[in-house]
Amino acid sequence: MRKASVSIRTIIAVVGLTLAAASLAVAQQPAGAPAARTAAQAYKNIQVLKDIPNTQLIPTMRFISTALGVECEFCHMGDRSVDTPNKNTARKMMTMMMSINNTSFNGRMNITCYTCHHGNSSPVGTPAPTGQYSESGATVFFKPDGGPLAGGRDEVMAEAYKEYMAKDRLAAMPTPDEILTKYVTALGGEQAIRRVSARLITGIAELAGDVRGVSPAIYAPVEIASKASNQWVMTFRMPNGTIDVNVAWLQAANGVVTDATGPTNAPLPPQTRVKRNADFYEPLNLKRQYSRLMLRGIERVRDRDAYLVVGFPDLDTPERLYFDKDTGLLLRKTVVVPTALGDYPIQNDYDDYRDVGGVKVPYLVRTTSISPAENMVVHVEKVQNNPTLDANKFTKPPSREPTGRRTP
């Protein structure tokens, strides 16, 4: 069944700021719902990560693979429960890492596998020789004092270094508020955005053919319906049925409905994130979504220079927003989902903005994570503003027995 290749985490990622429209009201966890099983209860031979929720184990394993730059078979046999030398080494490394975080960082996940490995199964412990200490070199703060040393005496250079480090490299750049204001203007302005209260987007979704990224991509018609206030649903027309998705629930092709968010159901995004995204006019309300905004400078996104603004939402992890330096449009948004061993990043790229009724909409949205399983590209073909949308379209459907199947 195709459901396995369309991960809930991918769907949540696409919701983020996709297509300048957003999401649905949050489905609350049913009262008296059974507690999630631990990894040790759901899987065989779990020794270090025994007490984490079983839903965290696979994302955590994917995080390890990316951190070491290896495939699953680096540690695992066909029977995943069988011990191997590399698996035993990994257990020792995880135990060491957890000990460091517990004793030095009050249990915070400051040290992860990636801290040392950086995509290499054999971490490098020595720097590569470059002939100088830093990338820029000491000449950036040389201050000759007439003496025989080109850069000045140590005392003079120490003062020059203080002056160099004290310079505000962001002084000539716009403030985060100014960047967000330019973004709204670039989309068409507040009045044009508010004239739209519903949107229907149709196109083709390019989905991963399998969780390892080996099989050819699967292409499926996709429909994204959104409506103020805070209603959103995405429907994939698959060969074997229909997959309906919103930020609070997922209905698979076999009719089974699964809640896709909750207060503490990592590795899924927290309920607070879903509530922030559940805003049809999200571009207008970005400022109030974050308790703090920080400009980090200019970075390259594809072939464009972009201002990197980091937003710090309450009760959630920081989010990185990249705005085109020239046009002001949002080029990229990166969020993370916590796992047992480190943050799982998800990157959404927005491209090919086109004017639709006075409001710009990206016609190409690419989602990339650290695993091929979450990769997805939405190729937009048509955007309709203010269509008539049936209210029942956004209603959470009842879950059906797995033997049931929805027709396209």
Side-chain angles (χ1 to χ4, degrees), residues 19 27 31 56 94 96 110 114 120 130 210 212 218 251 269 279 294 296 301 305 342 354 366 383 393 395 397 403:
L19 311 174
Q56 278 202 23
M94 285 189 283
M96 176 189 70
N110 285 18
Y114 193 75
N120 191 325
T130 61
D210 61 68
R212 304 297 289 274
I218 293 176
Q251 184 173 38
D279 183 355
M294 178 182 296
R296 288 285 176 85
V301 175
D305 284 334
R354 304 181 193 178
R366 184 183 303 274
V383 178
K393 179 183 286 289
T395 302
T403 52

Side-chain angles (χ1 to χ4, degrees), residues 16-66:
L17 282 174
T18 296
L19 311 174
S23 39
L24 174 82
V26 176
Q28 299 293 332
Q29 187 75 10
R37 292 191 298 167
T38 65
Q41 292 170 332
Y43 295 92
K44 297 178 181 179
N45 199 17
I46 305 297
Q47 298 183 19
V48 177
L49 304 174
K50 295 183 293 185
D51 298 327
I52 69 171
N54 75 86
T55 53
Q56 278 202 23
L57 187 66
I58 297 302
T60 299
M61 293 296 102
R62 291 173 177 174
F63 175 85
I64 294 173
S65 291
T66 304

